[in-house]
Amino acid sequence: MGNFGIWVLTICLIFQSGFGFYLPGSYPLKHVVGNYLSVKVNSLTSIDTEMPFSYYSLPFCKPVEGVKDSAENLGELLMGDRIENSPYRFKMHTNETEIFLCQTNKLSSDDFKLLTKRIDEMYQVNLILDNLPAIRYTRKEGFMLRWTGYPIGVKIKDVYYVFNHLKFKVLVHKYEETNVARVMGTGDAVEGFPSVGNKGSDVPGYMVVGFEVIPCSVMHNGDLVKNLKMYEKYPSPIKCEPTTVSMPIKEGEPIVFTYEVTFEESDIKWPSRWDAYLKMEGAKVHWFSILNSLMVITFLAGIVLVIFLRTVRRDLTRYEELDKEAQALVNEELSGWKLVVGDVFRAPSNPALLCIMVGDGVQILGMAIVTILFAALGFMSPASRGTLITGMLFSYMILGIAAGYVAVRLWRTIGFGDHKGWVSVAWKAACFFPGIAFFILTILNFLLWGSHSTGAIPFSLFVILLLLWFCISVPLTLVGGYFGAKAPHIEYPVRTNQIPREIPAQKYPSWLLVLGAGTLPFGTLFIELFFIMSSIWMGRVYYVFGFLFIVVVLLVVVCAEVSLVLTYMHLCVEDWKWWWKSFFASGSVAIYIFLYSINYLMFDLKSLSGPVSATLYLGYSLFMVLTIMFATGTVCTQKMAH
């Protein structure tokens, strides 16, 4: 791809992300009876490997017009979605049975091995109709379970069977507003312009409000389909029994694919058609998590109130009112934190690195809050695939201004107002965390490339991400650094002694207390973390962003309170090196999240197979915990600096 093409694609992605926000139920599309509905296919997915593959990597039927990619946004590409057209097509409100699709070529040895391997790895086929994923219902122990997609096949007694007949059910609701000047479709839908007052506008139509699929394994007679063309009727009745399988996969023999479709009018209205996918499970558990966090916050708030309002503030004010001679006399009677008043704001070791990490943490935390808030308001529905990732990426880049401002202003505060070196700090803030992310994701991308997975980021997209980084994020961070250099630095309430005070020997390592402090923030979010992990790795839809926003706010409060209490405890034992310990006091929650990730891998992802899959899981988990460490650590440092 040439430079011009890359720039054009970049601009298109930016505009598409700007107009990609979708409110569920906002744009219904009218389908007239008899109009064709096209089914699309997404990548094959499995919780056994967590690596998506192209639908047409397996010997499935291909459309007559050839395989074509659908319009994709940046988020879809990063998530590994590859949406393509399929040979399946329906006529609106027209039931059809025994529809012949195709007969594949005789399975070669490679095709046979790959097909059986994908069945062993429990890969699912994902179909999409009018932006609705195909949903499959199964009954187990009296409970109705719902799944998106259907399995490629099944293995019974060392024999592999393929699901080669699909029974579709499309739920439709009568289109109620016929005189509309313009109706826009979403996802794979097209735009329609029924004119007001024209006779064509009075033609009755329907909206797709549900898409269900039942896969079956049916033995077909190859001799009967030799002269059949796609979409012609299969010459004999097809009995679809989901509980039985009869089409074994054999090397050197073809596979015949067929389907049937029925339409059913439903009371489901357009705004409610995603309810089956977004149905919130365990609402009481989410409320329990929030109440648990509120109890922790109340307990810590009481401690902070006692420490700062009744002790520190009173004594600090009194100490500042004394002259030097009086201070010398008072020092003879002081103990604890009062002895290190002259050292408490001494510059930490590696101050530039601390400022850079705090600035990047502000950028990450701001991105999280903005994205979750917009998602909670419905602007980033799963109905618009990839919008959440796209929104996160662009909000992160824009918030580079905040990263540069905070990093440089903290640098000047630590340096008592010195402007020297602010450009270097802002530049490093623009490159530090993105550089770490780029390094980790590049290594994982090589693993995906080697596995020929659609989850691998194409080289052209790598170029686009680099352009977005250096052409948008870096300049904005430098602009923020400029404003941070111009802004007045924070004035310390006490003077710093020229000679540092010696820290007495401690009974226990101070870092032990720092690491233990992460348990309280972890207790705030670990319940919600389970639902997020299930969404990422188990293929479940997560849409309780309202709960998540509350949990994030509570997490920020807990982090600030933990840092205040822990810093006070260190100062009480005359340990004035609080900067880095404040950062890692709540940043250490990342350690517990990583341990939880390992626990989740061992007990909830037992089926995850292969070293590549485990490496991908641990790599993405490491990236996640580093991000959380930056975001939570910066809360405490900013609070203590002020």
Side-chain angles (χ1 to χ4, degrees):
M1 183 183 293
N3 291 333
F4 177 76
I6 292 173
W7 275 107
V8 171
L9 182 56
T10 303
I11 294 171
C12 291
L13 287 171
I14 292 173
F15 275 98
Q16 186 171 359
S17 68
F19 292 99
F21 297 113
Y22 167 76
L23 285 171
S26 295
Y27 302 117
L29 180 67
K30 174 184 176 181
H31 298 281
V32 179
V33 175
N35 280 3
Y36 280 110
L37 303 176
S38 297
V39 177
K40 298 200 173 184
V41 290
N42 203 343
S43 300
L44 305 173
T45 55
S46 171
I47 61 173
D48 190 53
T49 65
E50 301 297 347
M51 290 187 293
F53 290 97
S54 171
Y55 174 82
Y56 292 107
S57 64
L58 295 181
F60 291 136
C61 301
K62 295 183 179 180
V64 177
E65 65 274 17
V67 178
K68 300 177 182 178
D69 290 333
S70 294
E72 295 171 326
N73 57 44
L74 189 58
E76 284 181 335
L77 291 171
L78 293 175
M79 291 173 63
D81 288 339
R82 295 295 183 271
I83 301 174
E84 299 163 313
N85 59 330
S86 82
Y88 295 103
R89 69 178 190 183
F90 314 142
K91 287 183 180 180
M92 170 54 76
H93 221 296
T94 305
N95 297 339
E96 297 177 287
T97 58
E98 291 99 28
I99 302 299
F100 169 73
L101 202 59
C102 80
Q103 182 180 25
T104 66
N105 297 325
K106 294 181 179 180
L107 293 181
S108 64
S109 176
D110 292 338
D111 287 338
F112 175 78
K113 291 179 181 177
L114 184 60
L115 190 57
T116 54
K117 181 182 179 183
R118 295 289 181 258
I119 293 175
D120 281 334
E121 293 170 339
M122 300 185 296
Y123 270 87
Q124 304 274 324
V125 178
N126 300 293
L127 305 177
I128 302 171
L129 175 65
D130 196 24
N131 206 38
L132 281 180
I135 196 168
R136 176 173 56 96
Y137 291 96
T138 59
R139 185 173 295 276
K140 184 177 181 181
E141 298 178 357
F143 293 96
M144 186 66 72
L145 304 177
R146 61 182 184 275
W147 314 84
T148 53
Y150 67 91
I152 295 171
V154 65
K155 180 182 179 181
I156 300 176
K157 296 181 179 179
D158 296 327
V159 179
Y160 292 90
Y161 297 88
V162 65
F163 292 120
N164 60 333
H165 179 82
L166 300 181
K167 184 177 181 180
F168 295 104
K169 182 165 74 170
V170 181
L171 303 179
V172 296
H173 188 82
K174 193 167 184 179
Y175 193 83
E176 297 173 351
E177 299 177 3
T178 54
N179 294 323
V180 182
R182 180 180 181 185
V183 179
M184 291 185 62
T186 58
D188 58 341
V190 296
E191 292 189 357
F193 299 90
S195 302
V196 178
N198 290 349
K199 293 181 180 179
S201 64
D202 296 328
V203 176
Y206 292 89
M207 301 172 292
V208 177
V209 295
F211 183 37
E212 301 175 11
V213 62
I214 299 176
C216 298
S217 179
V218 179
M219 174 64 75
H220 293 301
N221 188 338
D223 296 331
L224 296 178
V225 299
K226 286 183 178 179
N227 299 321
L228 286 181
K229 295 182 179 180
M230 188 176 288
Y231 307 123
E232 291 185 348
K233 196 172 183 66
Y234 188 77
S236 62
I238 299 175
K239 191 175 182 181
C240 181
E241 293 288 346
T243 56
T244 61
V245 291
S246 57
M247 180 58 199
I249 304 172
K250 295 181 181 179
E251 186 177 341
E253 293 190 7
I255 302 175
V256 176
F257 288 91
T258 56
Y259 71 94
E260 61 183 279
V261 58
T262 58
F263 286 81
E264 180 180 306
E265 294 197 26
S266 172
D267 293 332
I268 300 174
K269 295 185 181 294
W270 173 268
S272 304
R273 71 175 194 155
W274 272 87
D275 288 358
Y277 307 89
L278 307 180
K279 185 178 180 181
M280 185 181 65
E281 302 289 349
K284 293 182 179 179
V285 178
H286 293 279
W287 284 116
F288 173 77
S289 173
I290 292 174
L291 291 175
N292 175 63
S293 303
L294 288 174
M295 292 179 63
V296 173
I297 287 175
T298 304
F299 173 73
L300 290 174
I303 297 177
V304 172
L305 190 67
V306 171
I307 291 174
F308 286 91
L309 292 187
R310 298 188 57 185
T311 307
V312 178
R313 191 180 185 93
R314 180 189 60 198
D315 292 345
L316 190 61
T317 303
R318 174 172 169 267
Y319 188 82
E320 279 295 296
E321 292 175 351
L322 300 176
D323 56 22
K324 291 185 178 180
E325 293 184 1
Q327 287 182 16
L329 295 174
V330 171
N331 282 342
E332 298 178 0
E333 303 177 358
L334 295 180
S335 63
W337 72 269
K338 302 168 190 176
L339 293 174
V340 294
V341 167
D343 297 278
V344 70
F345 290 112
R346 191 175 302 280
S349 58
N350 299 314
L353 179 60
L354 178 65
C355 296
I356 292 165
M357 293 177 69
V358 170
D360 286 344
V362 169
Q363 188 176 8
I364 295 169
L365 185 62
M367 173 203 68
I369 293 176
V370 170
T371 305
I372 295 172
L373 180 60
F374 273 93
L377 295 174
F379 287 96
M380 298 180 183
S381 166
S384 185
R385 287 172 298 274
T387 306
L388 186 66
I389 300 297
T390 305
M392 291 176 65
L393 183 62
F394 281 96
S395 62
Y396 176 82
M397 290 189 297
I398 293 172
L399 287 169
I401 295 178
Y405 178 85
V406 171
V408 171
R409 193 172 185 218
L410 183 61
W411 167 257
R412 292 186 59 234
T413 298
I414 292 176
F416 299 98
D418 187 8
H419 292 78
K420 186 178 180 181
W422 75 265
V423 176
S424 175
V425 171
W427 171 256
K428 291 175 182 177
C431 298
F432 185 67
F433 176 77
I436 294 175
F438 194 80
F439 176 74
I440 295 175
L441 296 180
T442 300
I443 293 176
L444 299 180
N445 206 58
F446 276 119
L447 294 176
L448 291 169
W449 266 337
S451 302
H452 305 287
S453 170
T454 58
I457 301 175
F459 178 75
S460 58
L461 183 57
F462 256 106
V463 176
I464 291 172
L465 291 175
L466 286 173
L467 287 173
L468 293 176
W469 178 9
F470 286 102
C471 296
I472 297 180
S473 182
V474 171
L476 288 177
T477 307
L478 292 174
V479 169
Y482 172 79
F483 287 112
K486 294 295 183 181
H489 66 281
I490 301 172
E491 296 286 348
Y492 293 140
V494 294
R495 294 182 296 273
T496 301
N497 297 331
Q498 294 190 0
I499 301 176
R501 182 182 180 86
E502 183 179 355
I503 300 175
Q506 307 296 321
K507 296 181 180 179
Y508 51 85
S510 59
W511 285 102
L512 188 63
L513 187 60
V514 170
L515 295 177
T519 55
L520 290 174
F522 178 74
T524 302
L525 59 81
F526 84 96
I527 295 178
E528 205 65 33
L529 184 63
F530 170 78
F531 291 95
I532 295 174
M533 297 284 282
S534 298
S535 173
I536 296 173
W537 301 110
M538 302 293 285
R540 299 171 184 169
V541 179
Y542 184 90
Y543 199 58
V544 286
F545 292 105
F547 283 111
L548 183 59
F549 182 76
I550 296 174
V551 169
V552 169
V553 172
L554 297 179
L555 176 65
V556 170
V557 175
V558 170
C559 288
E561 292 178 343
V562 164
S563 179
L564 290 172
V565 173
L566 191 76
T567 303
Y568 178 75
M569 293 175 66
H570 278 98
L571 294 178
C572 283
V573 293
E574 302 177 35
D575 183 357
W576 47 266
K577 295 182 178 181
W578 62 270
W579 288 94
W580 281 107
K581 293 170 185 175
S582 173
F583 184 90
F584 288 110
S586 58
S588 62
V589 67
I591 297 175
Y592 298 96
I593 293 177
F594 190 72
L595 294 176
Y596 180 85
S597 301
I598 296 175
N599 174 79
Y600 190 85
L601 173 64
M602 295 175 61
F603 295 100
D604 292 275
L605 292 178
K606 296 178 183 178
S607 61
L608 196 67
S609 61
V612 175
S613 299
T615 303
L616 288 171
Y617 175 84
L618 293 175
Y620 285 123
S621 298
L622 177 62
F623 173 66
M624 178 182 69
V625 299
L626 285 175
T627 304
I628 294 174
M629 182 193 72
F630 276 74
T632 54
T634 192
V635 174
C636 309
T637 309
Q638 282 292 295
K639 183 69 176 177
M640 292 304 300
H642 283 77

